[in-house]
Amino acid sequence: MSPPRRRLVGGLDLGGTKIQAVVLDGRRNVIGEARSATPTTDGAQDVILALVSTMGSACAEAGVEMADLAGVGVGSPGAIDTRRGVVAEARNLPGEGAPIPVAAGFRTLADTRAYVDNDVTVGVNAEYVLGAGRRSKSLLGVWWGTGVGGGLVLHGDPWEGRGAAGELGHVVVKIDGAQCTCGRRGCMEAYAGRGAMEIRARRLHKRGRKTDLFKIMEKRGRTRLTSGVWARALENGDELATELIERALGALGAGVASAVNLLDVETVVIGGGLGTRLGEPYVERIREAMMPHLFVDDRPPRVQLAELGDLGGAIGAALLVPPGSPGRKR
Ligand SMILES: [Zn+2]
């Protein structure tokens, strides 16, 4: 049964630097959106206030009240207690990993039900339901950003394992290889994660390697090598940036192909901050890098760029609101 036209849901993508909100109508069209900066002060309450206020702005743009929403979904980094709607161990958010009781906050401040899940999980699900994977029964989402996240849909259902499935970034691509931020060695993320690439770029630059990466960073008023900084350096043909991206692509090719050898999914969707920013030319490079490692190389899976772009995370979060929540009739 298709959802009633008037059923409105909210979605929030909580990131380390920004909060993105959307309002979807019953046909899952975006009818309002808003964006704000993630608070930098330490405190769960500030994060909750910012989430509620950004959602309020998106509702205002859509011309609806927050009370009209059947519920609000929130995608967040960190470990999520989905039952209680609490974010924990999110080291990129204020409070440095202290629990953020999102669902309780929405209940108290906005009298609205909130549902919380992992940001990569909801982003991959959005691509499965509405984006690049909508014609596939099985899908592997590769979220290429600060780390490398993964999400799986098998036979039409998300696969969560015992709760920790999809840790594609920690697939081993080299025994005793590079140090990973998880404390282990040789993980794909230790080569391909934007965080790991930045650590290596800083180390090599300090040892005298020439690169414009940090000049571009400063010019843009950033303190980190963002996806935009990498993209610009690559466009300019920066030698070190190119070398580190090649290294990342090699690791992605091996890691993603290994996952495909195990699961034989129909579609691989490349998303995440860096994946989305670098776009189709680099999706093609990932396709090529996978080929030598594919066991059944005469019918590789479709490898596609995420289609929903910047709003994908918030749209996916909105899909967390269960169909049983009718909301107020309008
Ligand atoms: Zn690791």
Side-chain angles (χ1 to χ4, degrees):
M1 204 176 77
S2 62
R5 267 195 81 193
R6 282 298 186 183
R7 186 176 176 276
L8 303 169
V9 290
L12 281 158
D13 183 13
L14 170 59
T17 53
K18 66 172 196 289
I19 294 169
Q20 175 73 52
V22 296
V23 177
L24 305 189
D25 68 8
R27 299 187 188 284
R28 292 164 172 169
N29 296 312
V30 176
I31 57 167
E33 57 175 283
R35 181 185 276 204
S36 65
T38 306
T40 50
T41 50
D42 49 4
Q45 194 61 19
D46 292 338
V47 177
I48 292 168
L49 284 171
L51 287 170
V52 171
S53 120
T54 313
M55 194 69 244
S57 306
C59 286
E61 204 203 81
V64 303
E65 303 282 331
M66 208 174 330
D68 297 332
L69 304 179
V72 173
V74 181
S76 167
I80 314 295
D81 180 340
T82 54
R83 204 175 52 80
R84 290 166 53 228
V86 175
V87 174
E89 292 167 42
R91 271 163 285 151
N92 291 328
L93 295 175
E96 291 172 354
I100 307 173
V102 174
F106 266 87
R107 229 176 6 248
T108 313
L109 295 171
D111 194 23
T112 304
R113 267 177 194 275
Y115 305 84
V116 190
D117 210 335
N118 177 267
D119 55 351
V120 175
T121 304
V122 303
V124 172
N125 187 51
E127 290 295 329
Y128 172 69
V129 176
L130 302 168
R134 67 187 177 279
R135 288 181 206 89
S136 309
K137 280 210 167 64
S138 59
L139 172 151
L140 170 66
V142 180
W143 255 231
W144 185 18
T146 307
V148 184
L152 271 171
V153 177
L154 299 175
H155 250 301
D157 289 317
W159 176 259
E160 290 172 355
R162 292 174 298 155
E167 288 296 348
L168 186 64
H170 305 282
V171 162
V172 177
V173 294
K174 189 171 185 185
I175 303 269
D176 288 333
Q179 180 77 46
C180 184
T181 50
C182 76
R184 297 168 189 83
R185 286 190 169 275
C187 301
M188 178 162 92
E189 186 169 305
Y191 299 88
R194 193 179 50 206
M197 286 161 58
E198 174 166 343
I199 291 169
R200 189 165 172 84
R202 285 185 190 275
R203 190 183 304 143
L204 293 173
H205 185 51
K206 225 179 208 168
R207 284 192 212 148
R209 278 291 300 271
K210 282 204 178 66
T211 177
D212 285 339
L213 277 165
F214 300 100
K215 268 182 226 155
I216 299 168
M217 179 188 85
E218 279 159 27
K219 216 161 124 193
R220 294 183 170 210
R222 305 284 195 167
T223 55
R224 296 263 147 226
L225 298 180
T226 59
S227 298
V229 172
W230 283 101
R232 171 51 58 88
L234 291 169
E235 281 159 25
N236 294 354
D238 186 88
E239 207 176 278
L240 182 62
T242 305
E243 184 185 302
L244 290 174
I245 282 283
E246 297 282 349
R247 192 167 175 262
L249 289 167
L252 282 166
V256 177
S258 298
V260 169
N261 289 344
L262 180 67
L263 299 166
D264 194 24
V265 289
E266 272 176 69
T267 305
V268 173
V269 177
I270 309 294
L274 195 53
T276 309
R277 183 66 181 74
L278 295 180
E280 180 51 39
Y282 284 82
V283 171
E284 177 58 28
R285 301 280 303 276
I286 294 172
R287 260 182 223 123
E288 286 166 9
M290 286 169 63
M291 285 311 289
H293 306 291
L294 284 176
F295 184 67
V296 184
D297 58 3
D298 58 342
R299 49 176 191 86
R302 291 189 304 157
V303 181
Q304 286 188 287
L305 184 62
E307 280 179 9
L308 301 173
D310 257 6
L311 296 183
I315 292 171
L319 300 180
L320 287 172
V321 180
S325 323
R328 186 199 285 173
K329 289 278 176 295
R330 283 166 53 83

